[in-house]
Amino acid sequence: EGGGGDDYLGPVVSQSQYDRIQRYIAIGIEEGARLVAGGLGRPPEMMEEGDDGSSSSSTSGGFYVRPTVFADCDPSMTIMREEIFGPVLCIAPFDSEEEVIDIVNDTKYGLGNYVYSSNRARRIRMARAIRSGMVEMNGVEQDFGAPFGGMKMSGTGRE
């Protein structure tokens, strides 16, 4: 029902944002990304009996999106190149730090990125190489007193 535990994800802000996220999920499927979790429609717990989840309207009172994970994504895919602003995670394979830096930096956007590694020196090296306004490491949130903003098409005044 929302508002309780650590696994709660609230609704997106509007019908238009819900529709936009649904379009990106459909594009990911159409372009061949492997759907690992989630997908189109609302989360099952937000659906009523007889509801197929394809509509955003419900008596639950919100524009809930199924948290979605895609694997085997290619850097040329739309979902890898554009900002979705919704609960969609795209996972792409890579063979080296250099390759992943090239993949991450080869976009016109640069709001935020996340680096996960047990190797502290690697995390710092990767964070410094990423052209992004914010880089979080191992899930630690940014300092809310720090400057906020992106780079490239994701913000102004930061480059």
Side-chain angles (χ1 to χ4, degrees):
E1 294 292 5
D6 292 338
D7 62 349
Y8 175 71
L9 180 66
V12 297
V13 69
S14 66
Q15 176 75 53
S16 63
Q17 185 61 20
Y18 175 89
D19 293 341
R20 181 177 189 274
I21 296 165
Q22 295 302 304
R23 279 193 303 276
Y24 276 113
I25 293 170
I27 288 168
I29 293 167
E30 290 167 15
E31 291 185 350
R34 182 167 53 92
L35 184 63
V36 176
L40 294 166
R42 289 189 322 282
E45 60 273 15
M46 294 298 166
M47 291 188 261
E48 299 169 4
E49 192 171 324
D51 184 354
D52 67 0
S54 61
S55 168
S56 65
S57 60
S58 74
T59 58
S60 64
F63 303 105
Y64 290 89
V65 175
R66 294 175 72 185
T68 299
V69 177
F70 286 110
D72 303 326
C73 296
D74 182 273
S76 67
M77 292 178 171
T78 304
I79 58 173
M80 289 283 289
R81 302 201 61 79
E82 298 185 13
E83 294 177 319
I84 298 173
F85 291 110
V88 179
L89 176 65
C90 305
I91 302 170
F94 59 91
D95 293 318
S96 67
E97 286 184 29
E98 294 77 20
E99 182 183 7
V100 78
I101 292 297
D102 288 344
I103 291 169
V104 170
N105 288 339
D106 184 32
T107 175
K108 62 184 177 182
Y109 300 105
L111 182 57
N113 285 280
Y114 302 85
V115 174
Y116 290 86
S117 174
S118 60
N119 183 312
R120 183 178 188 276
R122 175 179 286 152
R123 285 194 313 264
I124 292 170
R125 187 172 55 248
M126 298 291 286
R128 287 183 175 152
I130 293 172
R131 299 277 300 144
S132 177
M134 300 166 289
V135 179
E136 293 182 14
M137 294 189 268
N138 286 4
V140 176
E141 292 183 357
Q142 71 181 35
D143 178 351
F144 292 109
F148 177 85
M151 296 178 90
K152 304 183 252 184
M153 296 296 294
S154 294
T156 56
R158 294 275 309 179
E159 294 189 59

